[in-house]
Amino acid sequence: MIMCVQAVKAGLIRVVQGNLLGSILSNLLLVLGMAICASGVQRKSQAFNAQGVAANMTCQAVASISVCLPTMFRSVSHTAAEDELRISRLCSLNLMFVYGLFLFFQMKTHPDLFADVEEEEEASEGLSLYISVVLLVICTMVIAACSEALVGSIEGVSEDHDLPKAFIGVILLPIVGNAAEHATAVACAYKGMMDLALGVAVGSSTQI
């Protein structure tokens, strides 16, 4: 998200579009596939909460339809660019509203549908709320600085190495920018926490 905001400020709209699409494909194909393979290395079968994953995938189906609507609307004859922009904005507002309803459904009305299949082990004492917030703020500032440097180098890398910006946005940026959650999903799946791994991979795509 931070990287996309900084890229928009830099005027790299195509890179942002490619980054969003590449992040979705990377999470659903690369990360999810590696997580399933990592789980299969340790055990022959793995149980997970199918209802929680189905709810995420339903939201992604709605998002896919909303993304296609402006493109389909543009193919209609006698359609102005302003009409397409209006449809696009309405779709974006609808997606944010649907995601808000999904969070309300997940955390308030039906949290039991998203419970882990296997019983969790007794949790050990973790960090305090104050330390957690401080660490979160520090990590966010570091990520913002790294993202700014990364976005600022896109133009130079594209010209020096003759790489199209579409390739940088769709392939390189999603892999680099989402490396932390990629490692988290694979590590959780390897340890048998498949619901958490699916939540990281599929849930991240739903957020995008």
Side-chain angles (χ1 to χ4, degrees):
M1 180 64 69
I2 297 175
M3 187 186 303
C4 289
V5 171
Q6 293 175 342
V8 168
K9 290 181 178 180
L12 303 174
I13 304 300
R14 293 299 181 185
V15 174
V16 174
Q17 293 174 339
N19 186 23
L20 294 176
L21 177 61
S23 296
I24 295 175
L25 295 177
S26 175
N27 285 326
L28 291 180
L29 300 178
L30 178 63
V31 180
L32 187 58
M34 291 180 63
I36 294 174
C37 288
S39 177
V41 170
Q42 283 293 96
R43 54 196 61 84
K44 293 183 178 180
S45 62
Q46 175 69 64
F48 63 92
N49 189 341
Q51 291 176 322
V53 178
N56 275 287
M57 297 306 298
T58 302
C59 289
Q60 293 186 34
V62 174
S64 300
I65 296 173
S66 299
V67 170
C68 294
L69 277 179
T71 304
M72 298 173 61
F73 187 77
R74 187 175 186 178
S75 63
V76 178
S77 59
H78 307 294
T79 301
E82 292 78 8
D83 298 329
E84 180 187 359
L85 182 60
R86 190 179 299 111
I87 291 294
S88 179
R89 289 173 176 172
L90 289 175
C91 290
S92 64
L93 292 175
N94 177 66
L95 288 178
M96 289 187 289
F97 179 69
V98 169
Y99 185 69
L101 292 179
F102 171 70
L103 292 180
F104 184 76
F105 177 82
Q106 181 180 8
M107 296 186 296
K108 199 70 176 177
T109 61
H110 296 76
D112 54 302
L113 295 180
F114 298 87
D116 294 342
V117 173
E118 298 180 355
E119 295 184 0
E120 298 181 357
E121 299 179 358
E122 185 177 353
S124 58
E125 184 178 357
L127 299 175
S128 64
L129 177 61
Y130 176 76
I131 297 178
S132 300
V133 172
V134 171
L135 288 177
L136 181 61
V137 172
I138 294 175
C139 291
T140 302
M141 295 174 63
V142 173
I143 291 174
C146 294
S147 298
E148 184 176 0
L150 182 61
V151 170
S153 64
I154 291 178
E155 292 283 354
V157 171
S158 177
E159 295 176 358
D160 295 342
H161 299 277
D162 196 23
L163 291 175
K165 293 182 181 179
F167 176 80
I168 295 176
V170 177
I171 304 298
L172 295 183
L173 288 184
I175 294 178
V176 174
N178 302 326
E181 62 185 27
H182 292 186
T184 300
V186 174
C188 291
Y190 186 80
K191 295 177 181 178
M193 297 180 288
M194 199 62 191
D195 286 313
L196 180 57
L198 291 173
V200 171
V202 182
S204 296
S205 298
T206 304
Q207 288 179 346
I208 296 170

